[in-house]
Amino acid sequence: MKYKLILIVFLFVGITSCKKDNGTKVLYLGHSLPQTHPVHKGILEFQKALEKKSNGTLSVKIFPDGQLGSEREVLELLQIGSVAATKVSAATLSNFVPEYHILGIPYLFRDKEHQFEVLEGKIGKSILEKGSKFWLRGLCYYDAGSRSFYTSNKAIRTPEDLKGLKIRVMNNQMAINMVNALGGSATPLSYGELYTAIQQGVVDGAENNPPSFVSSNHYEICKYYTIDQHSSIPDVLLIGTKYWESLTEQEQIWVQAAADESAQAEKIFWNESVEECMAISKKAGVEIIIPDKSLFAEKSKSVVEEFLKEFPEMAPIVNEIKNN
């Protein structure tokens, strides 16, 4: 903790003064993912592209592995200008920018192609821009896959199979509502406690994407993986508006172009990781189940209705996405 505080003070002094070292302006970027993660590889592409486009006048210093704090903590550092950029889940970002809640709606996207048509089109760009009034300017979306159910002792083939099962979810109201609507018992729990909780029967399973399923070693104790893909919440690459406004117009163009390039590269890294992790899971004896997703989508409609009652102003955007 002491090291982290010292580091943050150092960053604050460097960034808020727009200090340059040998003619190079440094962009400090912190995130919570390990360096083996496909999203981190995408960020490395952002680093490389920006330094190339700016001919070395802009550089990126990356602090991975949560060195600067949790996603929420780093977002707050962006808002006050202590850190220039970060990568967070749209789910976390929704606590700051309400429009990001939309991207967590279950079965919002028909498939991966539809998802990125929306995210990389006018709707997605509009949501990225909404963060500016909260000092969090969105640059691009990174593929974070789709979340699906995995369980230790009972296979989930239809929503009825969720009855009586305790399923760990993020501490996110929409995720909680979705599992409950499908007939399960949503159980918010720290991710770090989840392996032991499944092992000891505190919960019967959880939901996440294939890279997380494998990197957490949950495939060792959960032998059923149901690819229902109930939510496809992207990650978002953000830059603090305080830092953004310190850049020249040309520098802003370089930053945005580098982000766009990195997003396309990250999609490839993500797909490669999913293929590798699915192969690892199958080899470990995990049964991969491909259910009829329409059954799950039908039972989760009440979650969307509840969301639109709470946020009626979001209805036009939701409808536009569905009709895209």
Side-chain angles (χ1 to χ4, degrees):
M1 179 61 72
K2 182 179 179 182
Y3 167 76
K4 187 182 292 184
L5 290 173
I6 293 171
L7 183 57
I8 289 171
V9 170
F10 166 74
L11 294 176
F12 182 79
V13 172
I15 293 170
T16 54
S17 63
C18 295
K19 186 176 180 180
K20 298 181 181 181
D21 182 17
N22 298 326
T24 298
K25 190 179 291 186
V26 182
L27 184 154
Y28 293 97
L29 190 158
H31 69 80
S32 60
L33 296 172
Q35 297 178 55
T36 54
H37 198 282
V39 171
H40 177 76
K41 294 177 182 177
I43 291 171
L44 291 176
E45 291 297 312
F46 170 67
Q47 178 188 53
K48 184 167 64 176
L50 183 56
E51 292 181 2
K52 182 178 180 181
K53 290 178 185 299
S54 68
N55 198 27
T57 60
L58 287 175
S59 69
V60 181
K61 175 67 175 175
I62 303 171
F63 296 87
D65 299 306
Q67 292 178 41
L68 303 185
S70 67
E71 286 194 334
R72 186 181 184 91
E73 288 169 337
V74 178
L75 283 173
E76 291 170 351
L77 292 174
L78 255 69
Q79 289 180 312
I80 63 174
S82 298
V83 176
T86 189
K87 183 292 311 171
V88 299
S89 168
T92 303
L93 196 51
S94 67
N95 295 313
F96 294 76
V97 186
E99 285 77 8
Y100 282 101
H101 279 297
I102 293 170
L103 303 182
I105 290 176
Y107 302 103
L108 177 66
F109 303 112
R110 293 186 295 274
D111 50 33
K112 186 74 71 177
E113 183 180 2
H114 177 223
Q115 180 187 11
F116 279 95
E117 280 180 1
V118 170
L119 295 181
E120 294 172 355
K122 67 174 185 176
I123 300 172
K125 290 177 181 177
S126 172
I127 294 174
L128 289 175
E129 291 169 3
K130 295 289 185 184
S132 294
K133 61 184 176 183
F134 302 98
W135 307 286
L136 299 167
R137 181 185 178 88
L139 292 173
C140 68
Y141 298 97
Y142 286 145
D143 192 353
S146 298
R147 301 178 77 92
S148 294
F149 293 112
Y150 52 86
T151 47
S152 54
N153 296 313
K154 180 183 177 182
I156 298 172
R157 304 183 192 278
T158 68
E160 285 66 35
D161 293 323
L162 277 158
K163 290 180 180 176
L165 295 185
K166 290 174 288 185
I167 303 295
R168 181 268 177 186
V169 294
M170 299 180 290
N171 191 15
N172 173 280
Q173 195 58 51
M174 193 173 296
I176 293 169
N177 292 346
M178 182 203 64
V179 169
N180 290 340
L182 290 173
S185 177
T187 308
L189 188 69
S190 166
Y191 193 63
E193 299 172 6
L194 183 51
Y195 187 100
T196 302
I198 295 172
Q199 203 172 36
Q200 296 179 350
V202 175
V203 294
D204 300 294
E207 43 89 53
N208 218 319
N209 56 58
S212 296
F213 180 56
V214 170
S215 65
S216 61
N217 295 320
H218 293 167
Y219 73 100
E220 296 174 348
I221 52 176
C222 288
K223 294 306 177 182
Y224 302 100
Y225 196 6
T226 302
I227 311 300
D228 67 297
Q229 299 175 319
H230 47 258
S231 63
S232 301
I233 305 173
D235 281 344
V236 185
L237 182 63
L238 297 160
I239 189 166
T241 56
K242 290 183 183 294
Y243 187 87
W244 178 260
E245 291 167 1
S246 76
L247 300 174
T248 66
E249 184 177 352
Q250 180 59 68
E251 288 171 337
Q252 290 176 350
I253 291 171
W254 286 333
V255 168
Q256 185 61 63
D260 292 339
E261 284 187 20
S262 72
Q264 299 309 311
E266 189 273 340
K267 282 193 256 185
I268 296 172
F269 298 139
W270 185 269
N271 289 336
E272 291 173 346
S273 179
V274 168
E275 289 181 12
E276 179 184 355
C277 292
M278 291 299 281
I280 291 171
S281 299
K282 289 177 182 177
K283 188 175 180 180
V286 176
E287 181 182 351
I288 307 298
I289 300 162
I290 309 297
D292 181 350
K293 291 198 291 185
S294 67
L295 300 177
F296 293 82
E298 182 65 30
K299 287 208 70 172
S300 63
K301 281 184 177 179
S302 62
V303 178
V304 184
E305 293 168 359
E306 287 180 31
F307 170 74
L308 293 179
K309 283 181 184 177
E310 185 177 357
F311 298 100
E313 70 277 11
M314 305 289 184
I317 305 174
V318 173
N319 291 332
E320 191 175 357
I321 290 173
K322 290 185 175 181
N323 295 326
N324 187 276

